[in-house]
Every structure is written in C-alpha cells, then in structure tokens.
Amino acid sequence: MSKIKIMNEILSNKIAAGEVVERSSSVVKELVENSIDANSDEIKVELIDSGVKEIKITDNGSGMEKEDALLAFSRHATSKLYNDDDLYHISSLGFRGEALPSIASVSETILKTSTGDVGTIITYKGGKLISTDNSDARRGTVITVKDLFYNTPARLKYLKSLNTELSLIVELINKLALSYPNIKFSLYNNEKKLFNSDGSNNLLKVVNEIYGLDVTKKMLHIIGENDDYDIEGFISYPEITRSTRNSIVTIVNGRIVKNIELNKIINDSYHTYKEESRYPIVVLKITVDPSIIDVNIHPAKQDIKFSKMEELKDLINNLITKKLSEVTFIRNVETKEKIIASNYEKPIFNLERTIDEHIVDSEQAVFDFEIKENTESYNEVEITKEKLPELYPIGVMRGTYIICQNENGLYLIDQHAAKERINYELYVKLLGNPNNNITDMLFPINIELPYNEYLIVNENKNILENLNFQIADFGINTITIKAHPTWLPSGYEEDAIRRIIDIIIMMNDKFNLEKFNERVAINLSCKLSIKANENISITEMENLIDDLKKCNNPFSCPHGRPTIIHFSNYELEKLFKRVL
Ligand SMILES: Nc1ncnc2c1ncn2[C@@H]1O[C@H](COP(=O)(O)OP(=O)(O)OP(=O)(O)O)[C@@H](O)[C@H]1O
Ligand SMILES: [Mg+2]
C-alpha cells in the first residue's frame, strides 16, 4: 500500500501559516498590505492585548463581491497575479494568495466587506467556514482576527511579552505610514491611541509624528535618479543617531525592504561623520521598474533582489555624501528645561517616542507650523560655502580645548580631534595620489610575521610597492623594508609600517583600495595627533583653525566625534539668566 498521501487543505494552510504568519505583527502586516493593495486611503488598526486577543483592521478600499470574498480564503486565490509573466512585474504588495487562508487556519477570522452594493460577512474558525451572510453596504473591508494561534500552542508560547509584540506592531505601522504618507493610518491598543498619520502626503509630517520635532528639524531632504532608479527621502544630521539600525528605512516601490547591503551603504555614506557604533535616521523611497527587481525571494516578502545593485548603491552613496558635504554641522549647545534626549534610549514603542509622551494638541499646532516651514525650505537654508565661520582664538583650556569667539558667541575646539581630522584628510590625499619621494633607510626595518600572515603580505606586496615602499625578502617569515615614502610620520616609521601591514592582513582577500587608504589614514592620523595636554601658542591655534577650515568635513574627527561645538550668545545669556 502506498504511504504518500496528499494532505487536506486545512492542514496544509496551517503549515503554510508557519511561514507566513509568525506572530501578531506579521498578521497585521499581511492585513494592512491587503488594505493598501485595495487602494484604501484610510486604514485603522485596533488591537486587544497587542493583537494576541484580537486584531481588527478597517479600510475604505475597493471591498469584495461575495463570490470573491469566499474565494479569498482558498489557498493560492489572488486577484493580483494571473500568469507567469505577472510574477516579473509585481506592483502590488501581495501576490501569493496565501495570507488569508493561513491567518484563518490559526484563528477565528471574520471578514465583512462590500464594494458599495450588498455587503458580505464570512466567519472562519481554525480554517473551517462557519457562516456566510449579507451585511451592510459601506464600501470597504473590516477584518477581525480573534484568538490568534489558539490551535497552535507552540506558536502562542513563542510570542514574547505583550509589550514586545506591541512595539513590533508600532514599528511596523510607523514604517507603513512612512511608505504611504498619502494614507491616513491610526493604531489603537486596548482603545488607547498609539499613533496616527494624517494622510496629507507629507513625508516630513510622518517623520515628525514618529520622531518628534527635535529630530525633524535636523533632517535633510535628498532626491536624485539614474537610468534605473529614482530616490527621494530624508536623512538625519550626523549628530542624530540611534544605537540600532531600526531607523534606517528603505522602501522600494512602496514595499518596506530589509536589505543588508542597502543598510550598509547608507551607514557607510556617513563614514567619519558619526561614530561607527551609531546609526543615522534615514527614510529612502526607491522607485524602480518592477522587472529590475525580484520580490519573491523571502518567505515573509521582507527582502528583494536587485539586478542592478551596484548602480543603486552608487546612487545612494553619492546622494548622501554630497548632501552631507554641503551642510554645516557645528553642534550647538542648547539648554533645556526638560531633558528630552534621555528618552531616545528607552525601549521603543514608536520607532522612537514612548506612547505617553505624545504631543499635546496645543503644541501640535506649533509643530505643524514649523514642519510646514521645514518642508517648504527642505532645510536647504543650511548650505554655506565657507564651512566654518571666522574664529578668533582666546586660549587653550587644560591643553585640550581651544576657546574661540566671534560675533555669534563662544566656540570650543577639541584640539586633538581637530588635528586628527586635518591629518586624516591629508593622508587620504597622499595615499590617493602617491608621489615618488622616498626616504632610504639607514637601517632597514625587518618585520617578522607568522607564516600565514607572511604569505598574505607577500601576495599583496604590490599594495606596498604602489605606495613607494621598497621591499626585500629577508629569510623566511620576514619582510624587510629598505625605503619608505617621505610622508610616513617621522619617529613612528616602524609603528606606521606595522599598522599598514596589519590592515593588509586584516583585509586579506577582501582588499579594496579606497577602504584600505581610509583605514591607513585613520590609523596614521590618530597616531600623529595623540599629544594631549599640549599648550600651544595663539599663532599655532590660528594655524590649526586655518587647516581645519580647509577640510571637507571640519565638524568631526575620523571616528565621528565632534571637533567643534558652539554656545550661541543667546544660550550664554540664558545660562546666566540675562534672558528668559
Ligand atoms: N482588504 C481587502 N480589500 C479588498 N480585497 C481584499 C482585501 N484583503 C484581501 N483581498 C482580496 O483577497 C485576495 C487574497 O488575499 P491574500 O492576502 O490571501 O492574498 P494576496 O494578497 O493576493 O497575496 P499574499 O498572500 O502575498 O498576501 C487578494 O488577492 C484580494 O483580491
Ligand atoms: Mg495579501
């Protein structure tokens, strides 16, 4: 007797549900995406107990006729994809026809829908059709999912605390609102309003709803295109960073995409503007011909494949680096009665703010006004030709901070950080265009290495030779340097060579000239600038400020720490209570 049998549909839906709906936030995602695909411009999400007890989604989209509504619960029933060819031109968020049957197999699901004529109400429980009836005719769909995972106990147990589940849903709705600023979203849990957007198609307003005005004021608008991709969005000032990548949001043809390479190139574009361990706030909308991407590579449709990835990465990198290079980023010291900054590191509810701190209405009016101003000017006012203002040094505090003044107030320059920046840019330049000036060494330097590392360096000898190091082999495991380029910091030659060799070994087969030059430059500039507690003369201060002014980015050291901060006249007067 044969052992193989085709499983029944209820069981197979339950198995598919394991992939499609992992937790309450994935149910919310599937249902809201259906509402978006149905062209809704208002979507309300109401939860009871973070959605574990109940999820109710109300939309004003196309709705369904009775026949379609019944079909929608069958596996592979979809109105979004009819043939092979469609799979390569998908412009809707859904396309597999799996979400509704999966959700209905692990909950009690009630679908009420109407195209504007007679309405239909259908109830499913544990994958079985319980009832069908006529209902009211309001155009749109209301779908209610109760007792999620009641029949899959392992999955129920896997859910974390109600707070964690809720934070995931808030994050999801935040990101959907960023993707569709033209849709009015609202989110409630146990009748408490947690988020809403106004559907006015103003992306910056949504940013403000999520992150608050302090962040919104420090967002920069970027826009650009190449042959295949159109990009528009907002990027934060380098001083506005978060401890996770969560606030880097990339949206491709309306789909929120979690792509490691995109996140990386966005983060790398801030290189030396911010600290390595911090991440910027970014919302990028990418528009592309659907045939250039493959949306069918991830079980929960969260990642996609790009056929012209390098072109996309170049475009993103150029747009961000260009924008950052145009703007002045001197950090202003601002005194505040209420310390807002400390909220940022709390466990998230919103992508950002905690629920209780929602803006009260009177403040909202002021915010709306300021946001409008910001949107209209797109922050371009910041752009200046001279990056640093005229600064007049007064003295040095504890051999560390140069104190300067001008008509706008008081400035402190971190002497060491500033030197690091100056040296870093100098080395990047020297390494990028190596000249032929070399210094012969009286006593060659022998560098002994473990054999595996020796092999790597030997293999990559040309990197050193291109930089004008003269190398001779010296016995086994030893590399001998006979001459070096003149720009090597004198007194630290051996140390510098070892550092350069370490970088070659570390990069090994992932060698990339630009990255290599940058790492060497950071390493050498750090080494050269280490003298702390050094009291320098006013002339030396003036020279340092002049050199800093010539830098592409005079505002942060290569590790992303600030080089200069500003106390405005007004702030000083506030501190001394001369003004209120
Ligand atoms: N809110 C809604 N408004 C109108 N039609 C809907 C709504 N939700 C679902 N539908 C219809 O039901 C069909 C099935 O939905 P389901 O989510 O199961 O599949 P899908 O969206 O086509 O694909 P995927 O499984 O990738 O989400 C959809 O193709 C759509 O025609
Ligand atoms: Mg769907």
Side-chain angles (χ1 to χ4, degrees):
M1 204 182 75
S2 75
K3 287 183 187 161
I4 299 178
K5 285 191 189 125
I6 305 284
M7 61 173 78
N8 73 46
E9 183 163 344
I10 294 179
L11 181 58
S12 78
N13 285 338
K14 225 169 139 178
I15 289 173
E19 278 193 351
V20 179
V21 287
E22 218 187 4
R23 57 203 317 164
S24 40
S25 62
S26 29
V27 175
V28 175
K29 174 176 182 282
E30 290 299 334
L31 297 178
V32 174
E33 287 188 351
N34 280 347
S35 298
I36 294 171
D37 282 345
N39 293 320
S40 310
D41 54 30
E42 194 167 342
I43 301 172
K44 181 154 117 192
V45 180
E46 292 165 285
L47 312 171
I48 300 178
D49 293 351
S50 306
V52 179
K53 204 160 175 64
E54 186 178 304
I55 296 167
K56 182 176 170 193
I57 315 263
T58 307
D59 73 41
N60 63 353
S62 64
M64 285 175 269
E65 303 283 358
K66 184 173 195 167
E67 201 185 342
D68 281 342
L70 281 165
L71 251 183
F73 286 95
S74 305
R75 189 89 183 279
H76 307 309
T78 178
S79 57
K80 302 168 192 176
L81 182 130
Y82 295 118
N83 56 44
D84 278 18
D85 200 37
D86 292 344
L87 188 53
Y88 307 106
H89 302 94
I90 289 170
S91 55
S92 53
L93 296 173
F95 53 88
R96 292 177 182 166
E98 278 185 339
L100 282 186
S102 301
I103 293 165
S105 74
V106 292
S107 67
E108 178 180 341
T109 301
I110 304 153
L111 170 72
K112 201 172 127 218
T113 186
S114 168
T115 57
D117 296 333
V118 196
T120 308
I121 180 161
I122 295 171
T123 306
Y124 261 83
K125 187 165 185 182
K128 286 198 197 96
L129 177 64
I130 305 288
S131 65
T132 321
D133 214 334
N134 289 348
S135 86
D136 64 82
R138 187 197 75 95
R139 183 175 176 270
T141 301
V142 184
I143 185 156
T144 313
V145 175
K146 292 181 180 175
D147 298 327
L148 190 61
F149 304 136
Y150 80 97
N151 56 354
T152 46
R155 202 146 281 265
L156 194 59
K157 268 204 184 132
Y158 160 83
L159 295 180
K160 301 243 169 63
S161 72
L162 289 186
N163 263 345
T164 308
E165 296 304 320
L166 186 58
S167 76
L168 288 170
I169 296 176
V170 178
E171 184 182 332
L172 168 78
I173 300 297
N174 284 172
K175 290 184 177 176
L176 285 164
L178 290 169
S179 314
Y180 294 91
N182 57 321
I183 298 178
K184 187 169 154 42
F185 285 94
S186 55
L187 172 64
Y188 298 79
N189 183 48
N190 298 338
E191 295 184 356
K192 189 170 172 190
K193 190 182 209 169
L194 303 185
F195 174 79
N196 77 288
S197 62
D198 68 1
S200 66
N201 210 6
N202 181 333
L203 180 56
L204 203 58
K205 263 192 169 176
V206 186
V207 169
N208 181 52
E209 275 302 327
I210 298 170
Y211 299 103
L213 189 65
D214 282 346
V215 167
T216 307
K217 280 199 287 197
K218 297 194 165 172
M219 296 296 280
L220 298 162
H221 180 245
I222 60 169
I223 184 163
E225 57 175 36
N226 65 14
D227 286 349
D228 299 295
Y229 295 97
D230 280 4
I231 294 185
E232 177 161 12
F234 289 94
I235 64 170
S236 66
Y237 279 33
E239 70 190 72
I240 305 287
T241 56
R242 296 294 173 263
S243 55
T244 73
R245 287 180 185 80
N246 257 343
S247 299
I248 300 180
V249 184
T250 48
I251 300 152
V252 181
N253 292 353
R255 186 187 303 279
I256 302 154
V257 164
K258 283 188 192 153
N259 183 284
I260 296 174
E261 280 188 80
L262 289 189
N263 283 351
K264 190 168 178 318
I265 193 73
I266 291 169
N267 192 45
D268 285 353
S269 304
Y270 276 78
H271 184 62
T272 83
Y273 275 88
K274 60 161 189 64
E275 290 162 65
E276 285 286 330
S277 57
R278 307 283 301 177
Y279 301 93
I281 297 177
V282 170
V283 186
L284 280 194
K285 298 198 163 200
I286 302 168
T287 314
V288 56
D289 185 320
S291 64
I292 291 189
I293 53 175
D294 184 354
V295 294
N296 190 27
I297 62 159
H298 186 278
K301 298 175 284 192
Q302 286 179 3
D303 193 5
I304 65 177
K305 213 171 160 56
F306 299 85
S307 57
K308 296 193 174 171
M309 190 55 154
E310 289 311 311
E311 287 87 336
L312 176 59
K313 281 173 21 183
D314 283 349
L315 178 61
I316 292 175
N317 184 249
N318 291 340
L319 285 174
I320 297 180
T321 47
K322 178 159 180 291
K323 180 53 86 176
L324 292 179
S325 75
E326 286 169 356
V327 183
T328 297
F329 295 120
I330 300 179
R331 289 170 209 220
N332 284 303
V333 176
E334 279 172 43
T335 48
K336 288 220 170 104
E337 297 300 315
K338 202 174 75 187
I339 296 167
I340 294 173
S342 65
N343 296 334
Y344 293 158
E345 303 300 316
K346 279 187 196 166
I348 45 150
F349 264 123
N350 257 352
L351 261 186
E352 180 73 22
R353 293 184 296 176
T354 57
I355 289 153
D356 293 329
E357 278 155 341
H358 235 272
I359 318 157
V360 293
D361 280 345
S362 62
E363 281 182 302
Q364 181 70 52
V366 182
F367 284 6
D368 281 349
F369 175 72
E370 295 197 34
I371 288 301
K372 196 164 154 270
E373 297 258 286
N374 192 352
T375 321
E376 280 166 3
S377 64
Y378 278 145
N379 296 342
E380 305 293 354
V381 282
E382 301 275 349
I383 297 170
T384 47
K385 284 243 162 59
E386 269 292 331
K387 287 187 179 167
L388 286 185
E390 219 40 69
L391 295 168
Y392 306 98
I394 304 166
V396 189
M397 184 206 159
R398 291 174 52 215
T400 308
Y401 305 113
I402 301 173
I403 305 163
C404 306
Q405 64 171 335
N406 69 15
E407 66 284 5
N408 295 321
L410 171 77
Y411 294 79
L412 293 179
I413 295 177
D414 181 325
Q415 192 179 309
H416 172 68
K419 268 193 203 163
E420 254 189 302
R421 165 54 65 179
I422 294 161
N423 288 331
Y424 167 75
E425 293 205 5
L426 178 73
Y427 279 116
V428 168
K429 223 185 262 162
L430 286 168
L431 288 156
N433 318 285
N435 60 25
N436 290 324
N437 303 336
I438 55 171
T439 311
D440 281 314
M441 300 172 91
L442 214 49
F443 304 104
I445 295 175
N446 294 323
I447 296 187
E448 210 179 292
L449 295 165
Y451 193 58
N452 60 329
E453 295 186 353
Y454 169 82
L455 286 177
I456 296 171
V457 178
N458 217 8
E459 183 80 21
N460 291 293
K461 243 182 176 162
N462 64 316
I463 299 167
L464 290 169
E465 282 162 358
N466 290 342
L467 290 175
N468 281 321
F469 285 95
Q470 286 187 4
I471 309 164
D473 267 337
F474 185 83
I476 298 172
N477 292 11
T478 303
I479 292 188
T480 302
I481 310 276
K482 294 190 301 189
H484 64 75
T486 43
W487 49 259
L488 221 56
S490 75
Y492 300 105
E493 290 87 353
E494 178 162 354
D495 188 49
I497 293 170
R498 279 190 180 275
R499 280 163 186 259
I500 294 172
I501 286 179
D502 279 349
I503 295 169
I504 294 177
I505 293 166
M506 205 170 66
M507 294 185 97
N508 193 4
D509 52 354
K510 293 199 184 64
F511 186 83
N512 164 309
L513 188 61
E514 206 177 321
K515 285 231 165 76
F516 170 78
N517 287 350
E518 229 166 63
R519 280 190 193 164
V520 173
I522 289 185
N523 243 289
L524 296 187
S525 61
C526 190
K527 184 78 210 166
L528 259 187
S529 320
I530 253 164
K531 294 170 213 144
N533 295 322
E534 197 188 351
N535 281 308
I536 59 174
S537 69
I538 296 281
T539 318
E540 284 172 298
M541 291 176 211
E542 283 166 353
N543 290 341
L544 187 102
I545 292 169
D546 271 351
D547 288 345
L548 189 62
K549 267 191 184 165
K550 289 183 200 129
C551 288
N552 288 326
N553 169 16
F555 314 109
S556 56
C557 81
H559 307 286
R561 291 187 288 271
T563 53
I564 177 165
I565 57 175
H566 175 211
F567 294 76
S568 68
N569 291 324
Y570 175 70
E571 276 306 325
L572 290 170
E573 283 172 4
K574 235 168 54 182
L575 284 168
F576 286 105
K577 308 277 180 206
R578 285 161 166 263
V579 290
L580 290 177

